[in-house]
């Protein structure tokens, strides 16, 4: 039983009856689910994941105090704390008096403020460009079991898909990084006799490629340690995951192996260019990712976004 199954089962067996018995007046205003940080909210948890923050539990999201006041919220917190201390052979964690628990009672506005810096999900251009992918992923992952009131789901839905201009800006920047690191600098580093620098170029290429492919699938890339697992869960991308894995693990000291790595870089570039062209995201008709990067940037409708530096949406500081 993974974390999501554990949460759903715990809610159905104990949480739902508790709410129906003692808080029926609040039920029309509550959103209940299992959302946030941690591998369990993606379905990626395993035995290793259980060494910290793993427990039977779920989230109850409340609207503002004008709808549910502090007194009722406190009563709900106490009732949640009194739920069984074990479920499915897994013990619950102690509730921290200073917060930090992943499950329990939350105000919807506070959850989204902590997740993306906006209590109602409205993001500025700067926020869309600068928020890391994993932060957006954590705001919309997991599962909402019920939400009659609809506030939580409305915000969740507004964040689930990145605006097209913002997606194009992120695509353009990462395509340019792919071109510079993989198609250009990898070989140059090898010619300089610097296999370590070549590997750093590979790492940048892989990171940018991952972000591009998730953007093209309209998905937010999760935290780096889960990104390959998430990539392999995408339709038709298992082969791409294997190629990217080879770029990370293959040895650059062997000339034949290095040549295979460069060929792999070009295969990945060709795959991504095919998707860009099939989606009418680029007008370029070559194998040079840099030209496709600028073509994608030219597709941005909002001139204030289009005219920003092409790397404006790149969160990392990378020396080219």
């Amino acid at each position: 039983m993974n974390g999501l199954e554990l949460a759903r089962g715990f809610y159905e067996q104990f949480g739902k009856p508790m709410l129906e018995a003692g808080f029926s007046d609040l039920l029309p205003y509550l959103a209940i689910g299992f959302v946030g940080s941690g591998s369990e909210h993606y379905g990626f948890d395993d035995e290793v994941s259980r060494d910290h923050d793993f427990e039977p539990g779920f989230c109850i999201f409340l609207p503002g105090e004008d709808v549910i006041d502090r007194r009722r919220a406190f009563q709900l917190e106490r009732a949640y704390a009194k739920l069984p201390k074990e479920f499915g052979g897994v013990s619950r964690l102690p509730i921290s008096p200073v917060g930090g628990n992943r499950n329990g009672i939350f105000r919807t506005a506070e959850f989204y403020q902590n997740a993306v810096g906006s209590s109602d999900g409205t993001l500025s251009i700067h926020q869309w460009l600068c928020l890391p992918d994993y932060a957006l992923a954590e705001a919309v992952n997991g599962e909402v079991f019920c939400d009659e009131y609809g506030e939580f789901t409305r915000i969740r839905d507004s964040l689930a898909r990145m605006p097209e201009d913002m997606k194009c800006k992120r695509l353009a920047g990462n395509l340019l990084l792919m071109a510079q690191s993989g198609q250009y600098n990898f070989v140059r580093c090898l010619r300089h006799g610097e296999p370590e620098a070549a590997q750093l170029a590979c790492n940048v290429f892989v990171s940018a490629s991952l972000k591009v492919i998730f953007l093209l699938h309209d998905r937010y890339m999760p935290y780096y340690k889960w990104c390959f697992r998430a990539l392999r869960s995408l339709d038709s991308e298992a082969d791409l995951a294997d190629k990217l894995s080879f770029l990370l693990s293959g040895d650059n000291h062997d000339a034949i192996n290095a040549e295979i790595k460069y060929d792999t870089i070009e295969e990945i570039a060709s795959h991504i260019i095919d998707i860009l062209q099939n989606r009418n995201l680029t007008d370029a008709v070559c194998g040079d990712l840099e030209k496709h990067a600028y073509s994608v940037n030219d597709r941005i409708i909002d001139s204030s976004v289009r005219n920003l530096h092409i790397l404006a949406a790149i969160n990392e500081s990378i020396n080219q």
Side-chain angles (χ1 to χ4, degrees):
M1 185 183 298
N2 66 22
L4 184 55
E5 293 167 336
L6 195 69
R8 191 186 302 111
F10 188 62
Y11 164 68
E12 291 289 346
Q13 188 166 338
F14 297 110
K16 188 175 181 180
M18 176 270 288
L19 292 170
E20 291 174 341
F23 300 91
S24 59
D25 59 316
L26 301 186
L27 277 174
Y29 305 103
L30 304 180
I32 301 159
F34 190 64
V35 181
S37 62
S39 59
E40 62 271 21
H41 295 102
Y42 297 94
F44 296 154
D45 50 302
D46 52 26
E47 291 299 322
V48 177
S49 309
R50 297 189 173 199
D51 64 344
H52 69 99
D53 294 329
F54 188 82
E55 65 163 348
F58 54 91
C59 306
I60 302 177
F61 300 101
L62 282 59
E65 292 182 20
D66 57 326
V67 180
I68 298 177
D69 62 27
R70 293 186 183 183
R71 181 182 64 86
R72 289 296 274 157
F74 177 69
Q75 291 172 346
L76 191 55
E77 289 176 357
R78 292 189 63 182
Y80 180 88
K82 292 179 180 177
L83 291 175
K85 302 303 180 186
E86 184 178 308
F87 177 74
V90 182
S91 298
R92 291 178 63 196
L93 299 171
I95 295 178
S96 170
V98 295
N101 294 84
R102 291 178 175 175
N103 300 314
I105 315 302
F106 306 93
R107 296 282 183 182
T108 293
E110 291 177 358
F111 173 82
Y112 284 112
Q113 182 66 42
N114 291 334
V116 298
S118 171
S119 60
D120 64 358
T122 302
L123 299 181
S124 66
I125 289 175
H126 177 77
Q127 286 173 305
W128 274 118
L129 293 179
C130 296
L131 271 170
D133 306 77
Y134 73 82
L136 290 161
E138 290 177 358
V140 300
N141 65 9
E143 184 179 329
V144 177
F145 305 148
C146 64
D147 182 10
E148 184 178 340
Y149 192 57
E151 178 188 40
F152 186 87
T153 299
R154 177 186 59 77
I155 300 173
R156 178 180 170 90
D157 289 346
S158 74
L159 295 169
R161 187 180 177 92
M162 184 176 291
E164 193 67 15
D165 277 358
M166 306 306 158
K167 182 174 82 171
C168 285
K169 199 68 181 185
R170 289 197 181 211
L171 276 172
N174 282 293
L175 288 166
L176 184 59
L177 287 185
M178 289 178 66
Q180 292 176 337
S181 60
Q183 293 186 308
Y184 184 72
N185 281 328
F186 175 71
V187 170
R188 286 180 64 84
C189 290
L190 290 176
R191 288 173 180 169
H192 283 299
E194 299 183 54
E196 299 85 0
Q199 187 55 48
L200 290 176
C202 267
N203 294 349
V204 174
F205 178 84
V206 169
S207 178
S209 298
L210 285 165
K211 291 180 180 180
V212 164
I213 205 67
F214 277 99
L215 285 166
L216 291 174
H217 280 266
D218 290 316
R219 295 272 296 275
Y220 297 125
M221 190 176 81
Y223 199 51
Y224 66 85
K225 63 181 177 179
W226 305 313
C227 63
F228 270 87
R229 198 177 309 185
L231 179 62
R232 290 190 170 95
S233 72
L234 297 178
D235 294 338
S236 73
E237 299 299 357
D239 183 54
L240 179 64
D242 291 340
K243 290 177 180 177
L244 292 172
S245 177
F246 168 66
L247 292 180
L248 290 177
S249 59
D251 183 10
N252 297 323
H253 291 78
D254 181 85
I256 295 176
N257 199 55
E259 184 175 346
I260 295 172
K261 290 183 82 166
Y262 182 74
D263 290 341
T264 301
I265 286 171
E266 288 299 332
E267 289 171 7
I268 293 168
S270 178
H271 173 69
I272 287 175
I273 290 169
D274 285 345
I275 298 175
L276 292 170
Q277 291 175 332
N278 290 336
R279 305 257 182 100
N280 294 317
L281 290 170
T282 178
D283 293 322
V285 289
C286 62
D288 185 350
L289 283 169
E290 181 172 351
K291 290 183 170 59
H292 290 281
Y294 284 102
S295 183
V296 169
N297 192 76
D298 287 342
R299 291 298 185 95
I300 296 172
I301 295 172
D302 186 335
S303 60
S304 68
V305 177
R306 184 177 62 251
N307 293 333
L308 290 172
H309 193 283
I310 193 169
L311 296 176
I314 301 301
N315 310 127
E316 301 91 343
S317 176
I318 301 174
N319 295 318
Q320 299 306 321

